[in-house]
């Protein structure tokens, strides 16, 4: 029997979906078979995505493998953040309060509004002409 602490997590944001497996090797952080820093070159996206690991002080304990699809890079980083947070709660339920208080366990429900009939976009009406 192995004592491998693997945990799965799923996160979504707009149309981005992230599936994560936490592993016991902290140096391995891969996203879509690329290194984490190569996939997310900007520091803000890197910090956002790994926030749950920093909040729970687990950056030196766990690494992750992620598969992300859909959306833009920023939405993908937010989806990854939620997936990592959910995977951490799957390992230890005691981290739930920490993660919930910082907002990393909350899914952002905002999405693009649908186009309405008779309008050019969701709310943009055609230009009015008096004559």
């Amino acid at each position: 029997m192995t004592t491998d602490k693997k945990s799965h997590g799923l996160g979504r944001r707009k149309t981005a979906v992230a599936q994560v497996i936490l592993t016991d090797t902290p140096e391995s952080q891969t996203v879509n078979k690329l290194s984490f820093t190569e996939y997310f070159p900007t520091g803000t996206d890197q910090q956002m995505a790994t926030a749950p690991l920093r909040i729970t002080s687990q950056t030196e304990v766990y690494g992750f493998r992620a598969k992300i699809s859909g959306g833009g890079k920023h939405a993908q980083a937010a989806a990854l953040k939620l997936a990592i947070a959910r995977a951490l709660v799957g390992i230890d339920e005691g981290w739930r309060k920490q993660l919930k208080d910082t907002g990393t366990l909350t899914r952002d429900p905002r999405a693009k509004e649908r186009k309405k009939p008779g309008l050019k976009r969701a709310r943009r009406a055609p230009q009015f002409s008096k004559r």
Side-chain angles (χ1 to χ4, degrees), residues 5 23-26 57-63:
K5 293 186 221 167
T23 60
D24 289 333
T25 52
S57 304
Q58 300 300 309
T59 52
E60 303 299 319
V61 181
Y62 296 110

Side-chain angles (χ1 to χ4, degrees), residues 49-91:
T50 57
L53 291 171
R54 281 194 316 281
I55 290 165
T56 57
S57 304
Q58 300 300 309
T59 52
E60 303 299 319
V61 181
Y62 296 110
F64 58 86
R65 269 193 337 263
K67 190 174 120 182
I68 305 178
S69 63
K73 290 285 184 181
H74 194 74
Q76 287 181 351
L80 181 60
K81 174 179 77 168
L82 180 59
I84 291 173
R86 286 179 174 173
L88 284 170
V89 169
I91 290 175

Side-chain angles (χ1 to χ4, degrees), residues 12 78 81-82 85-86 99-109:
R12 292 188 180 98
K81 174 179 77 168
L82 180 59
R86 286 179 174 173
L99 293 169
K100 199 165 177 111
D101 288 346
T102 56
T104 54
L105 269 180
T106 307
R107 189 214 186 276
D108 193 344

Side-chain angles (χ1 to χ4, degrees), residues 11-20 31-32 36 39-40 45 48-49 66-83:
R12 292 188 180 98
R13 168 74 173 105
K14 289 189 174 181
T15 58
V17 179
Q19 298 171 329
V20 167
V31 177
N32 291 349
F36 174 67
Y39 193 81
F40 292 113
D45 287 343
M48 184 199 326
K67 190 174 120 182
I68 305 178
S69 63
K73 290 285 184 181
H74 194 74
Q76 287 181 351
L80 181 60
K81 174 179 77 168
L82 180 59

